[in-house]
Amino acid sequence: MTFFLAILDGLIVLLLAPLTVGFVRLAKARFQNRRGAPVYLPYLTLLSLMRKEMTVTKHSSWVFAAAPFFVLASAIALAFIVPTAAAGVLPDFASNLFLVGGIAAFGSVFLAMGGMDAASTFGNMGASREMTLAAFVEPAFYMGFSALALVGGTWSLDGILRHLASLPWSAGVPAASIALVALVFVTLAENARYPVDNPATHLELTMVHEAMLLEYSGPSLALLEYASAVKLTVMLGLVASLSLPFFLIQPPVTALGLVLGVLALIAKLALAAFVLAFIESTFVKMRFYRMQEYFSLAFIVALAGLLLALISMTR
Amino acid sequence: MAPSVFGLLFVAALVLPLLGSAAALLARRAGWGNALSQYLFMLSGVLGLAALAGYFTALHAASSVVLLSSPVLAFSVTPLSAFFLLIVYLGTFITSLYALGYLPLYADAYSVPLTNAVSGVFLFALAAVLLSTTVFTFLLSWELMSLSAYFLVIADRSPESLSAGFLYLVMTHIGFACLSAGFLLLSGGHAFISFDGVREVARQLNPAALAAAFALLFIGFGSKAGLVPLHQWLPYAHPQAPSHSSALLSGTMLKVALYGFLLALTLFPGIPASWAFTVAAVGLISAFFGALSAAVEHDAKRLLAWSSVENMGLIFSGVGIALVLHGLSMPLSGALAAAFALFVAFHVLNHFAFKTGLFLATGAMVAKTHTRDLDLYGGLAGKWPAFSGVFLVLVIAAAALPPSGTFFGEWLYLQSLAAALRFSSPLLVASAAAALGLAALVGGLALFAFVKFFSAAFLGRARSEHAEAAEPMPVLLLVPPLLCAAFSVLLGLFGLPVLSAATAGFGSLVPVTTVVPGASMSAWFVFALLAFASAFAFIAYRVFARNRTVRRTETWDCGTPLTPRMEYTATGFSAPMRFFFRGLVMAQKEILAEAVVPGNPWIANRRIEWSIASVWEAWLYRRIARGIVSVAAFVKRLQNGVIQLYLLFVLLALIIVVLVAL
Amino acid sequence: MTPTVLSASLLGAMLVASLLMESRMRLTSLVTLFRVQSAFLGFYALLLAYAEGAIHLAVIALLILALKAFVIPEFLLRVARASGASERLEAYVRPTTLSFAGLLVVGLAFAATNLLLPDGHYFAAAVSLSLVMLGFLLLVSRKDMFGQGIGFLGMENGIFIFGLALTGGMPLLVELSALFDLLILFILVAALVRRAQHEHSSVGTDLLRTLTD
Amino acid sequence: MTILALILLSILSGVLPFFARRFETVTALALLGSSGVAALSAVVGMPALLGASALSGGGLWYVDPFGGLLVLLIGFMQWTATMASVPYLGEEVRKGITSLARTKRYFALLALFVLSMLVTVVSNNLGFMWVALEATTLTTTLLVAFYDRKGSVEAAWKYLILCSTGISLGLIGLLMTYYAASSVMAGGATLDWTTLAASAHAFPASIMRIAFAFILIGFGTKAGLVPMHAWLPDAHSSAPSPVSGLLSGVLLNAALFAVLRYKALADLSAGGSGWTNGLLLGFGVLTVAVPAAFIIFQADYKRLLAYSSVEHMGLITFSTGLGVAGPLIAVIHIIGHALTKSMLFIGAGNILHRYESTKFANVGAVMRVLPYTGAFFLAGILLLLAAPLSPLFVSEYFIVSAAVATHPLYTLIILFALSVIFAGFLHLFAPLLFTAPSRGAEALAEKTGERWNISHTAMLLHIVLLLAFGAFLLTGAAYPLLEHVAASIT
């Protein structure tokens, strides 16, 4: 029974991914006093991209063609092993936090290789910067999640979520609050949002993630766009459900509980998208060569989270 | 197999390399000389593996097989040495298979018979170090190993390899001096003493002597394993050797240094926490410097050498932390110490697999493109699709990405460190947190280095005629790296379960490895997950993508026609790293502008000169060298040619000795 | 003049001779003083031989008189004149300082003797030790090869007295071969002096400073 | 009786070449003579080495196992030195550097030198030993000044004056020992070592200590101990190479042999070897450390080999002072160093003739230009730097094993000095062997290649003997025999 719930949790995320991106774009538009496109527009763009013809540069090799599949595979794997709507459905070895870190790195590596194979300076610069960011995000990523693990008592995200859900809100979440802030830093860096990277531009000096997608077109571009959408949804969903561990789908589930869970997830994703849009509209993008300040800040916040977790645990 | 039979097998495997080198010398005129010696080496590898198989299954690796026990020389197989012998014989087999196709390509650069003869002695010495059970035999075979490695490094007699060989042999000799002093300090004056004897003698030694002996042994083995600050020879020496030998140097010799250190640890009655902390700290610092230098390096083989420094640093820090935890008596410390020991064993195997494969593959690449500078590579994936596929698997293993065995090794390491955060003593938690942060950064830097290596070499357009005119890759040079890649994937799938089963003592395969309750990992699940996700993505593509026509066009260049020189080279790729760590890699960049028309600053030919230097070499090595030189210059003034002064020396000595005699 | 007074005065004469040798800056005067010293040495040995009735000692004494008083100095002067070496000798310091240094050395030697040999024949040992030290001083202070050669021979004389004073002389065969060695040594000194004079047209040792480091 | 025959034969082999007129007959006669001497010294040395020590010639000669070993070494090495001298002088005669008369004088002096060394080692009478040691200096002075080169007179003069001064100090020491003996022994003192050793326990310890002081400084000058070593690099580098091979290889050990004779007497009189060991250890460390400074940036490879001899003498002296296990180590090191160093000098001779310069800057790519000499030279360097199969590896291992527990500071100084010397050797000899010289590289083209001559046979003999001895050490059987030899030193 829990096996189906895990598959369901993954599928929900896969379906909702373009919706979250739509939410974020809508919220940002509204912040900029624009009407913004309808929320379901990303679904349509992906489908239309799928039907377009692909133009591939002569100089690229098989790596350029294979990269989108691996990037999407890593995103899909993340969707299935990171709990968003459901809790207590995955065994310990399935959602170990270091496994999540590894698979995220797997995805960004192939994205960077795709960028490098395009033999254009834009892609190369994007790949070089992406790999630098991936290298610097790891300490903060693992320290933040370890702080959470101390609070949750186990190293599998699913177990942490289940533990937080079982505790009254005041007991669990405050202890993990600083760690969650660190995770927000990490999420922004991992998904190429402000202040690390500007997702909406094609200006070579400010784009990192977009630069690597520059050479892709047609179905490959769709796969890559969809993969980044899924990754964004997974991480936003995780942070949201960790900070608001209510209405989660627990194993002895009833039909009502299921529907409520999905709706709660949609609400949480909308809220998270709104917060993300708010951050993106207020913060300015940091210069790439000041990135070590950003990541050292993230690491220090994670350490503070660890300290708080230790104090709250021993008390 | 009865014990005596594979005692014979071990002896055969030990002696065959010497036969191979003799054959190489005797048949130096004949064309098939190289082939004959390589086959003999491979035979020794196969026999060794067969003997080990027999040893592991039949005796359940509990007791040791004595091969020779004369009062001076004594060889026998012990459980600890059997594990490392596995690596030596695997390495022998694969590198000799590779040398079959590789050495004929370099018939003019290396004198093939001599190189084979020396590598035969080297292979013998590697196995002999592992098999020796008395201090004298150990030091004898150790010195033989170091010396034969020197002759492999200077195989092509070029000035760079001579200076690299010089630095290597001087550091090795200092290490050997420390080793002999350390071992003999422990054996208390007995010249011919077995390691068991040393254990008894060490028990009665006073703590100061034990501390001095440990320091000496750590310096000796650390310098050989390439730990900071005695690592500077490794990035110079390994690349200069022929590729199949540098694969052996990096893949196997560093492990023998680790074996020596582990053997030395068993000799001490007890390891205080302060020693273990220093080992862990030095290990982590070496890992950081190794990874950082690999990230900014643009010479292919030197990058791999730096990555060896990083991995050996990680392994030694694993040993250090295991020792610290072993000393504690807290609830989880026992399980965590076992986890780190498992990490050391597993990472040794993983590093052997991917490093040997990478060195062999890079050797093939350098053989075909005649340059080692990554900035001149590019577009090789198009020319050698199969080869680049194998290389990608090896790079994934080197960068510790999920499906590879190294990822599960890194997981063991980081997971156990995170689990150590729960201990109560603040010092332990602080150092565990620092170690976790640094280890994660090291993982990131290694990731950066190997992505840079793969993409600069294989992707994009050829940046020079070296890469443009790369000849097709012969199969013989492709098979050994393929074997290594396969072995690394196998390690990923079965490595952790088999090893934890072996160490845990029961026979059945353990699908899920658990470090502490709540922290477990199953290799098969990860493979299944990635396979399922890739299938899912492919099916999504097949279902949704109606129009699958592909049009090959020029890369989008917004107007200005793109040339290969506009691509990011490996140096360009690592520019952010050089900027962020400019203090540590001592990066200097100068843009020199000479005005075309004197007096007119605007029109000028600009030239950029940039350089990175090793912090250690600048601060530590040159300082010591300058100190020795100044002392030598001072002492040299004694021999100034004036006979009257010499007579005064004699008189002075006489007076002093007579005064002593009164 | 009982034998002991006679031997004491002979030893005193030898001491004075070698003290004077320290400050001689001309070759001929240095050689003559060396002859005088060796002659006294020969008589002292004869006296001892007569006193103890040791025939082998007498033979040795006569040989010393023959060799050290006549043959060697004569041969040295002929070589010096044949090779055209300059008559003037040089030293690192002025002659007066040399003689004061000689005095200091003799004082030290006398003081050191009772440290080295608390119960032996004190005066003879002291004189022999000072002769050795004076020879050494000559070796160290003189710049030219002649000075060093003569200094070395003076030291040999000192050691010979040391042997006589302590043990009444070594067995004949050993003494003979020792003297034979001394003769060969002197021939070599002469040969090297001639070669040096031939090559550098000077016997100064400051030209012999090329082999450094 | 056989010793008398040995002495007569060596005098004969010295005189023989004078009767020949052509160069070939001179060398043939010299070779014949030296082979005879080698055979006879084997007859004298071997029984003493294996069996008990033999007193013969009416108490004049005394050959104990250690003496026997040195006789054997002298016999073998003068044989290979003469073999190497034949092509060495042949080349010089062909180039007109040396006249036929000089070659005759060369072989005569060489034979006399060998004779004096043999007498030093076998004489029971300490007076005779002193005379023989002085004779070694005298016979080799003209050999050091053999060539008319710039530094040879200077080297010979320094060699003569310094060594003779040293040996005179040794004479004072001998006289004091004689004095100490006569004050105690009833039947009148003799200079025979065996009788002295029998009653040495009664000698007054204070006088014997001062006597040993004089002996150590006196004969130490001859053995090249620092600070009395200044003559050694000059003399050994300006002498003809085969002779400097003998000088470095075995003459230094003969001088140390003399010192050890007196050490035995001093130890017996003092009732314990603590005091003398302390002195030997101190001088040993000094003699290993100081040459390191000269070896690092040495410009002349013959001087480098000479400094290396000083360093190895330091190691031998240090090991003799290491108490019980000491003499065993000294024996191994003496054999190892003697054979290796003389071979290297023979190789250096060949290199000198082909490149006509002893400077590192003008010499290079020897492995390509002189294939045989290069290969043997490389093997020699490795054996000298204590490569695994070399006897020096075993002896240096034993030194560290015996000394690290009791004298940690000394061991660290020695290990550091050895590392510096190792680095210096490698830094200088690797380019010499492998890369073309900076100056005169193009002139090498037509000089490449060499034919196998008798000097290569000599070098090969040395290497085979060394490797055999190294392998013999690896089996357990070597150590009882070596203990037997070492026991006779203390």
Side-chain angles (χ1 to χ4, degrees), chain B residues 121 201 278 351 379 524 655:
Chain B
V121 172
V201 171
T278 27
H351 181 243
W524 299 344
I655 291 166

Side-chain angles (χ1 to χ4, degrees), chain B residues 336-359:
Chain B
L336 288 182
F340 272 106
L342 188 60
F343 158 74
V344 167
F346 192 43
H347 201 71
V348 159
L349 282 173
N350 280 310
H351 181 243
F352 163 74
F354 74 75
K355 186 47 58 63
T356 313
L358 278 176
F359 255 111

Side-chain angles (χ1 to χ4, degrees), chain D residues 44-271:
Chain D
V44 166
M46 195 53 83
L49 180 67
L50 302 177
S53 47
L55 194 64
S56 65
L60 199 57
W61 314 118
Y62 171 69
V63 187
D64 61 1
F66 187 48
L69 172 71
L70 284 180
V71 166
L72 264 173
L73 265 179
I74 295 169
F76 173 72
M77 285 172 56
Q78 63 87 20
W79 182 52
T80 48
T82 322
M83 277 162 63
S85 312
V86 171
Y88 187 82
L89 290 176
E91 181 92 1
E92 285 187 354
V93 167
R94 191 175 54 76
K95 285 182 182 163
I97 300 170
T98 319
S99 67
L100 188 61
R102 265 205 181 183
T103 47
K104 291 182 188 167
R105 187 145 56 90
Y106 171 89
F107 282 114
L109 284 173
L110 185 63
L112 285 177
F113 171 41
V114 167
L115 168 66
S116 47
M117 271 198 294
L118 283 173
V119 169
T120 319
V121 171
V122 291
S123 66
N124 182 19
N125 185 315
L126 293 180
F128 252 116
M129 179 193 288
W130 178 83
V131 167
L133 212 54
E134 173 69 14
T136 56
T137 316
L138 303 179
T139 46
T140 42
T141 308
L142 286 181
L143 280 174
V144 168
F146 189 70
Y147 297 108
D148 300 338
R149 265 202 292 270
K150 193 162 57 60
S152 57
V153 169
E154 173 187 348
W157 176 257
K158 285 179 183 170
Y159 176 60
L160 183 62
I161 290 298
L162 267 166
C163 285
S164 307
T165 316
I167 288 190
S168 330
L169 294 181
L171 182 56
I172 296 176
L174 168 66
L175 288 173
M176 292 181 86
T177 321
Y178 193 50
Y179 166 68
S182 59
S183 65
V184 164
M185 286 166 79
T190 72
L191 275 176
D192 293 348
W193 188 73
T194 39
T195 45
L196 284 175
S199 56
H201 56 275
F203 292 172
S206 58
I207 295 179
M208 279 310 286
R209 270 209 308 274
I210 294 166
F212 181 72
F214 273 93
I215 290 289
L216 182 62
I217 299 298
F219 292 160
T221 316
K222 222 24 207 139
L225 299 181
V226 165
M228 300 85 74
H229 71 291
W231 57 273
L232 198 141
D234 306 343
H236 288 204
S237 62
S238 62
S241 302
V243 170
S244 24
L246 271 178
L247 282 174
S248 278
V250 76
L251 174 57
L252 301 179
N253 297 328
L256 194 66
F257 172 82
V259 172
L260 293 178
R261 275 280 192 251
Y262 286 89
K263 173 184 188 310
L265 295 181
D267 288 350
L268 284 171
S269 74

Side-chain angles (χ1 to χ4, degrees), chain B residues 357-384:
Chain B
L358 278 176
F359 255 111
L360 297 181
T362 317
M365 235 166 44
V366 168
K368 288 303 160 192
T369 58
H370 308 296
T371 172
R372 288 197 340 222
D373 189 351
L374 281 177
D375 300 350
L376 304 176
Y377 278 75
L380 295 179
K383 290 192 174 57
W384 308 325

